Amino acid sequence: MALDKNQIAQRIAQELKHNTYVNLGIGIPTLVANYIPRGIDIEFQSENGVLGMGPFPFEGEEDPDLINAGKQTITTLSGAVLFDSATSFAMIRGKHVQITVLGAMEVSENGDIANWKIPGKMVKGMGGAMDLVASADNIIVAMMHTNRQGESKILKKCTLPITGVNCVKKVVTNLAVLEITQNGFKLLERAPGVSVEDIKNSTAADLIIEGEIPEMKF
Amino acid sequence: MALDKNQIAQRIAQELKHNTYVNLGIGIPTLVANYIPRGIDIEFQSENGVLGMGPFPFEGEEDPDLINAGKQTITTLSGAVLFDSATSFAMIRGKHVQITVLGAMEVSENGDIANWKIPGKMVKGMGGAMDLVASADNIIVAMMHTNRQGESKILKKCTLPITGVNCVKKVVTNLAVLEITQNGFKLLERAPGVSVEDIKNSTAADLIIEGEIPEMKF
Amino acid sequence: MINKVVDNIEKALDGVEGNMTFMVGGFGLSGIPENAIDALSKKDIFGLTCISNNAGVDDFGLGLLLKRKQIKKMISSYVGENAEFERQMLSGELEVNLIPQGSLAERCRAGGAGIPAFFTPAGYGTEVAEGKEVREYNGKLHILESALTADFAFVKAWKGDTAGNLIFKGTARNFNPLMAMAGKITVAEVEELVEAGELDPNQIHTPGIFVQRIFQGEKYEKRIEQRTVRTKE
Amino acid sequence: MINKVVDNIEKALDGVEGNMTFMVGGFGLSGIPENAIDALSKKDIFGLTCISNNAGVDDFGLGLLLKRKQIKKMISSYVGENAEFERQMLSGELEVNLIPQGSLAERCRAGGAGIPAFFTPAGYGTEVAEGKEVREYNGKLHILESALTADFAFVKAWKGDTAGNLIFKGTARNFNPLMAMAGKITVAEVEELVEAGELDPNQIHTPGIFVQRIFQGEKYEKRIEQRTVRTKE
């Protein structure tokens, strides 16, 4: 069965290593914070100027001066620190933030990502996404495998204006875990109960499939 | 009679306008702070990271964590602020510091200055001088008119490695106040009792002399 | 000490004119100069270029200026959450220059720091890079971005003193310190204005040298855009 | 929270080797990482490249490493006040790269901030500009300067917490926050180490993300180079 958004987040949480700084994008990526395994120390950065982000505040304790990049009210944990936007992107551009998890509208087999613009329809702006994808060595995309029209978001080449080139390392969708290799998308894992054939049918790009493809473990 | 170092500083103090930020170099420039007229609000910046510098501390109150760019112990005044070296030079390069007063070994008629190196003999480094002279719109040099060998430091062209080009606006020496114009050094004022002829004799560069040259007033 | 205090909002805005370029601090609605924006939205000045990470919402923040069509051009990184903005942009009434958020921040800092241009990897290979110089460093392609400055920068801090020194709170800091550096005239509004000497000189975020005018804002609504909470178990 | 505390100076210096590039914070003798320098001066590592605004004095600060000829190359802005330094430089034993102080600061920040190069007016027309690209901006000539990074950055703060967050005091801040950003491994020593959560998150100068190791220094001499005082009337 295909994963729901929370399960995608849960699977991505397994990718996060002990003692790393992580930036989570808006949407599914935000949910990743709920699934960090015990014993794994992670600090979450939000590009509007906070490191050491904690959970949402209790009702009545919201502080308008304390939000994340999705403009949601947040809290901070022990050891947190606040800073301006230039310092924030110094952390990002300078590769001090080691992992970025973000959503996408399209990902191509050479690791290009598109997630900021649909010409003539939707232009919200790239926000910090272009800086993030141009910087971190480890960029993981969290998204549904297909769009609302049922079309594959895993493509040979992006059709929308791109956010960054050759940057995505891994994609976790409701159907599969894919790694981006020099030769294109390599299928690493299947969602429980989803067959390789199902994944192939939902994927516009070619898939490298070597040996038995295991199911994701939770 | 030629001015002493304190009088040079005193004359330069007259150049400082109300509500300006000023960087004073090592040596004679440091003395300028002692002669700010009443009613003129000036804030002194030191490029190692302080704005709102005050007088030297009273004996026993020296703080090793509070020094100026000459490594001298200092104090701070009300409204002072401390910052890192990048922020300090952002102030300087960004022209927020409006006036720079510094010493020189040579000044040329096109406003070049040399004050950081004597090849083969002395190399202490430029410190912040190259940033300062490349930045402020108003650069005033405080120096003796001649060197220890009696040679003019006011030249057609610098002989020593330069610190900056086309940057000096005014020179105040023990003999004269000179402005640097498009056509070279213009004599503005004489030290009390020093004749135009005396100044000409001590100056290697040509001087533009228009009309009666007044004595400096203190 | 150089005193930066202006008596009222009118004096704070003295000299603003149509067709000027303004920087406006804040991220979303957090840390925006509410009082300056409100006063600007009541002035008959038009043709403005606004540099601001966001464009407010329909009825708050820069949305107030957009509604009156005072803004000719927006230079921003993210402009969702504003239907009127989207309408003006898609209809071509409003010129929009979208740039990556980190580049926006760095370009403002550069403008204030006398750095006319710098290389960044952000945006390489995208629309953002069109017409920009590309150069390889450390095996990676970078584009050359230029500094931004403004006729006026409007920023908002938590506390400030009469010398113009500013302290920000939480993530309301965001672009404010950088835009403060880059304004030819920087107007800072604060929730609490204190005498020079009352703030710890080690703990100031924006040195007063970057601020030309300071005043205490009359009131702050501090609207929350996305109220998200958890419930106590 | 990611814990950055190391138990002792030996663990703090783990991995340092000859021929590495070190950044060393401080201006003059103010804010220098005294404990790290002392320990490095006792190690048999040679051929070092040191990036530091100054070179210490004959018997303190980086002067200790110079005396043992551990340093092959200095990248600095001002190196007066050190006779042994001058001797080694003039005799050609020591390679010296002198750069303007503001460019040094900005190049360290750039190295930490992923900005590989930037334009600055400082040094145009001088020896410093030799071989560097020149470009005109706003009617003024600028030179292209590149980022600096280091294998290790040694910095010194007043207070720090277990998450690596640092607060500096007075002008002892200077280059420390910038070098902290630019070290592949940044080792911070502090006068007082506290638990994470004890420092106000709004008042931290160097976020812990820039610091890989932190320890409380055993003792600080904090030598004054130019004791200048006035007398009470």
Side-chain angles (χ1 to χ4, degrees):
Chain A
M1 220 176 59
L3 306 186
D4 63 19
K5 288 180 178 183
N6 278 298
Q7 289 169 311
I8 294 175
Q10 197 177 350
R11 175 59 191 81
I12 286 177
Q14 298 173 17
E15 300 289 315
L16 306 188
K17 290 189 186 66
H18 184 51
N19 280 353
T20 50
Y21 294 95
V22 177
N23 183 293
L24 301 178
I26 299 171
I28 302 175
T30 304
L31 303 171
V32 173
N34 301 330
Y35 297 100
I36 306 303
R38 251 174 216 291
I40 300 291
D41 290 331
I42 299 283
E43 276 193 49
F44 291 110
Q45 198 246 22
S46 194
E47 64 268 27
N48 58 316
V50 54
L51 189 72
M53 225 189 332
F56 296 135
F58 290 119
E59 207 164 337
E61 295 178 6
E62 313 91 297
D63 179 354
D65 292 331
L66 200 55
I67 63 173
N68 65 17
K71 283 96 175 179
Q72 297 171 307
T73 43
I74 56 161
T75 58
T76 55
L77 301 174
S78 250
V81 49
L82 298 149
F83 37 83
D84 66 49
S85 300
T87 305
S88 183
F89 283 93
M91 294 175 187
I92 289 167
R93 237 188 281 99
K95 295 178 187 286
H96 306 280
V97 175
Q98 293 133 329
I99 303 180
T100 286
V101 182
L102 76 175
M105 301 194 284
E106 297 178 347
V107 178
S108 77
E109 63 187 17
N110 67 335
D112 291 0
I113 175 174
N115 71 350
W116 75 283
K117 186 178 185 180
I118 304 174
K121 272 193 190 163
M122 184 284 286
V123 192
K124 293 192 182 304
M126 66 294 283
M130 281 194 185
D131 307 89
L132 281 160
V133 301
S135 304
D137 281 329
N138 197 352
I139 292 165
I140 303 174
V141 165
M143 66 177 191
M144 303 308 280
H145 209 92
T146 54
N147 65 18
R148 283 180 207 166
Q149 288 74 45
E151 297 160 346
S152 174
K153 296 167 73 173
I154 306 284
L155 304 172
K156 273 188 158 318
K157 205 170 171 322
C158 291
T159 64
L160 296 170
I162 62 171
T163 310
V165 294
N166 293 315
C167 54
V168 178
K169 293 290 179 295
K170 226 170 227 185
V171 183
V172 178
T173 74
N174 52 328
L175 302 183
V177 178
L178 303 162
E179 188 188 347
I180 292 173
T181 70
Q182 287 220 321
N183 303 315
F185 288 106
K186 183 173 173 184
L187 182 60
L188 296 185
E189 298 175 21
R190 302 172 287 119
V194 171
S195 71
V196 168
E197 210 53 34
D198 292 339
I199 296 167
K200 275 170 128 176
N201 289 338
S202 296
T203 307
D206 292 333
L207 290 177
I208 301 167
I209 298 167
E210 290 176 359
E212 205 62 38
I213 305 299
E215 280 192 359
M216 298 178 203
K217 287 198 179 63
F218 289 94
Chain B
M1 218 177 61
L3 307 185
D4 64 19
K5 289 182 178 181
N6 279 298
Q7 289 168 313
I8 295 176
Q10 198 177 349
R11 175 60 191 82
I12 286 177
Q14 298 173 16
E15 301 289 315
L16 305 188
K17 291 192 185 64
H18 184 53
N19 280 354
T20 50
Y21 295 95
V22 177
N23 183 294
L24 300 178
I26 300 170
I28 302 175
T30 303
L31 302 171
V32 173
N34 300 331
Y35 297 100
I36 306 304
R38 253 174 214 290
I40 301 290
D41 290 332
I42 300 281
E43 276 193 49
F44 291 110
Q45 198 244 23
S46 192
E47 65 267 26
N48 58 316
V50 56
L51 190 71
M53 227 188 328
F56 296 135
F58 290 119
E59 207 164 337
E61 295 178 3
E62 314 92 293
D63 179 354
D65 292 332
L66 200 55
I67 62 172
N68 65 17
K71 282 97 176 177
Q72 296 172 307
T73 43
I74 56 162
T75 59
T76 56
L77 300 174
S78 249
V81 49
L82 298 149
F83 36 83
D84 66 49
S85 301
T87 305
S88 183
F89 283 92
M91 295 175 186
I92 290 166
R93 238 189 279 101
K95 295 179 187 285
H96 307 280
V97 175
Q98 294 133 329
I99 302 180
T100 286
V101 182
L102 75 176
M105 301 194 285
E106 297 178 347
V107 178
S108 77
E109 63 187 17
N110 67 336
D112 292 359
I113 175 173
N115 71 350
W116 75 284
K117 187 179 184 178
I118 303 175
K121 272 194 192 162
M122 184 283 286
V123 191
K124 292 193 182 303
M126 66 292 282
M130 281 193 185
D131 307 270
L132 281 159
V133 300
S135 304
D137 281 329
N138 198 352
I139 292 164
I140 303 174
V141 165
M143 66 178 191
M144 303 309 280
H145 209 93
T146 54
N147 64 19
R148 284 178 207 166
Q149 289 74 44
E151 298 160 345
S152 174
K153 296 166 75 173
I154 307 283
L155 303 173
K156 274 189 157 319
K157 203 171 175 319
C158 290
T159 64
L160 295 170
I162 61 171
T163 311
V165 293
N166 294 315
C167 53
V168 178
K169 294 289 179 295
K170 226 168 227 186
V171 182
V172 178
T173 74
N174 51 327
L175 302 183
V177 178
L178 303 162
E179 189 190 346
I180 291 174
T181 70
Q182 288 218 323
N183 303 315
F185 289 106
K186 182 174 174 184
L187 182 60
L188 296 186
E189 298 173 22
R190 301 172 289 120
V194 171
S195 70
V196 169
E197 209 53 33
D198 292 339
I199 296 167
K200 275 170 129 177
N201 288 338
S202 296
T203 306
D206 292 332
L207 290 177
I208 300 168
I209 299 167
E210 290 176 0
E212 205 62 38
I213 306 299
E215 280 192 358
M216 300 179 202
K217 289 201 178 63
F218 288 95
Chain C
M1 199 269 297
I2 301 178
N3 194 317
K4 304 293 176 69
V5 179
V6 289
D7 297 336
N8 55 47
I9 182 82
E10 273 316 301
K11 287 193 181 155
L13 300 191
D14 185 43
V16 301
E17 285 175 23
N19 301 309
M20 278 187 164
T21 297
F22 294 164
M23 282 184 182
V24 183
F27 180 95
L29 300 179
S30 189
I32 60 173
E34 294 187 20
N35 292 273
I37 291 174
D38 185 63
L40 288 169
S41 76
K42 288 168 181 155
K43 278 190 179 292
D44 283 333
I45 50 171
F46 299 91
L48 302 171
T49 296
C50 285
I51 303 171
S52 181
N53 189 61
N54 307 82
V57 294
D58 284 350
D59 62 341
F60 199 58
L62 284 181
L64 297 174
L65 276 71
L66 281 166
K67 212 193 294 186
R68 279 191 70 214
K69 301 192 183 168
Q70 294 175 275
I71 301 175
K72 179 185 66 182
K73 181 178 179 181
M74 282 294 309
I75 299 176
S76 302
S77 96
Y78 192 85
V79 292
E81 295 117 14
N82 189 321
E84 174 63 13
F85 182 98
E86 205 160 7
R87 194 197 62 70
Q88 289 186 22
M89 176 169 56
L90 293 174
S91 73
E93 288 166 64
L94 182 68
E95 202 181 324
V96 180
N97 185 358
L98 290 169
I99 54 186
Q101 195 171 319
S103 298
L104 179 61
E106 193 68 16
R107 289 174 72 180
C108 292
R109 178 189 178 276
I115 303 284
F118 59 88
F119 283 96
T120 173
Y124 167 75
T126 76
E127 281 184 12
V128 163
E130 277 168 25
K132 288 178 185 158
E133 185 174 335
V134 172
R135 202 173 286 195
E136 187 176 325
Y137 288 99
N138 311 314
K140 196 165 163 174
L141 292 161
H142 292 71
I143 60 175
L144 186 66
E145 292 281 11
S146 59
L148 290 170
T149 55
D151 297 307
F152 278 84
F154 298 101
V155 304
K156 188 259 168 183
W158 178 49
K159 287 189 183 182
D161 71 16
T162 52
N165 296 309
L166 305 178
I167 294 179
F168 302 91
K169 182 170 150 277
T171 54
R173 193 179 325 179
N174 55 65
F175 285 84
N176 284 300
L178 313 164
M179 291 180 169
M181 295 169 74
K184 283 192 199 83
I185 296 174
T186 291
V187 179
E189 57 180 85
V190 296
E191 292 181 53
E192 189 187 347
L193 182 62
V194 302
E195 287 300 317
E198 287 188 39
L199 303 176
D200 178 349
N202 286 295
Q203 297 294 12
I204 285 158
H205 297 129
T206 290
I209 192 171
F210 295 124
V211 172
Q212 278 66 50
R213 304 173 188 171
I214 191 168
F215 69 99
Q216 185 172 309
E218 231 168 60
K219 64 171 179 58
Y220 287 97
E221 178 180 338
K222 299 221 249 181
R223 199 184 290 188
I224 291 177
E225 231 167 315
Q226 304 283 341
R227 189 176 302 272
T228 47
V229 295
R230 64 192 154 132
T231 43
K232 282 187 178 140
E233 273 128 42
Chain D
M1 200 269 297
I2 302 177
N3 194 317
K4 303 294 176 66
V5 179
V6 289
D7 298 335
N8 54 48
I9 182 82
E10 272 316 301
K11 286 191 182 156
L13 300 190
D14 185 43
V16 300
E17 285 174 25
N19 300 308
M20 277 187 166
T21 296
F22 294 164
M23 282 183 181
V24 183
F27 180 94
L29 300 179
S30 190
I32 60 173
E34 294 187 19
N35 291 272
I37 291 174
D38 185 64
L40 288 169
S41 76
K42 288 168 181 157
K43 278 191 178 292
D44 283 334
I45 50 171
F46 299 92
L48 302 172
T49 295
C50 284
I51 302 171
S52 181
N53 188 61
N54 306 82
V57 292
D58 284 350
D59 62 341
F60 199 58
L62 283 181
L64 297 173
L65 276 71
L66 281 166
K67 211 192 300 186
R68 280 191 68 214
K69 301 193 183 169
Q70 293 176 276
I71 301 175
K72 179 184 65 183
K73 180 178 179 180
M74 281 294 309
I75 299 176
S76 301
S77 97
Y78 192 84
V79 293
E81 293 116 16
N82 189 321
E84 173 63 12
F85 182 97
E86 206 160 9
R87 194 197 61 71
Q88 289 187 23
M89 177 170 54
L90 293 175
S91 73
E93 288 166 63
L94 182 68
E95 201 181 325
V96 179
N97 185 358
L98 289 170
I99 54 187
Q101 195 171 320
S103 298
L104 179 61
E106 192 69 16
R107 288 174 73 181
C108 292
R109 178 189 179 275
I115 303 283
F118 60 88
F119 283 97
T120 173
Y124 167 74
T126 74
E127 282 184 17
V128 163
E130 277 169 25
K132 287 177 185 161
E133 187 172 335
V134 172
R135 201 173 288 194
E136 187 177 324
Y137 289 99
N138 311 314
K140 196 165 163 173
L141 293 160
H142 292 71
I143 60 174
L144 186 66
E145 290 282 9
S146 60
L148 289 170
T149 56
D151 296 308
F152 278 83
F154 298 101
V155 303
K156 189 261 170 182
W158 179 48
K159 285 189 185 183
D161 71 15
T162 52
N165 296 310
L166 305 178
I167 294 180
F168 302 91
K169 182 169 150 278
T171 54
R173 194 179 323 179
N174 55 65
F175 284 84
N176 283 299
L178 314 164
M179 291 180 169
M181 294 169 74
K184 286 193 196 82
I185 296 174
T186 290
V187 179
E189 58 180 83
V190 296
E191 292 181 53
E192 189 187 346
L193 183 61
V194 303
E195 287 301 316
E198 286 187 40
L199 303 177
D200 179 349
N202 286 295
Q203 297 294 13
I204 285 159
H205 296 130
T206 290
I209 192 172
F210 295 124
V211 173
Q212 278 66 52
R213 303 174 188 170
I214 191 168
F215 69 99
Q216 184 171 311
E218 230 168 60
K219 63 169 180 57
Y220 287 96
E221 179 180 338
K222 300 221 248 179
R223 199 184 290 188
I224 291 177
E225 233 168 314
Q226 303 284 340
R227 189 177 303 271
T228 47
V229 295
R230 62 191 154 133
T231 43
K232 282 187 179 142
E233 272 128 43

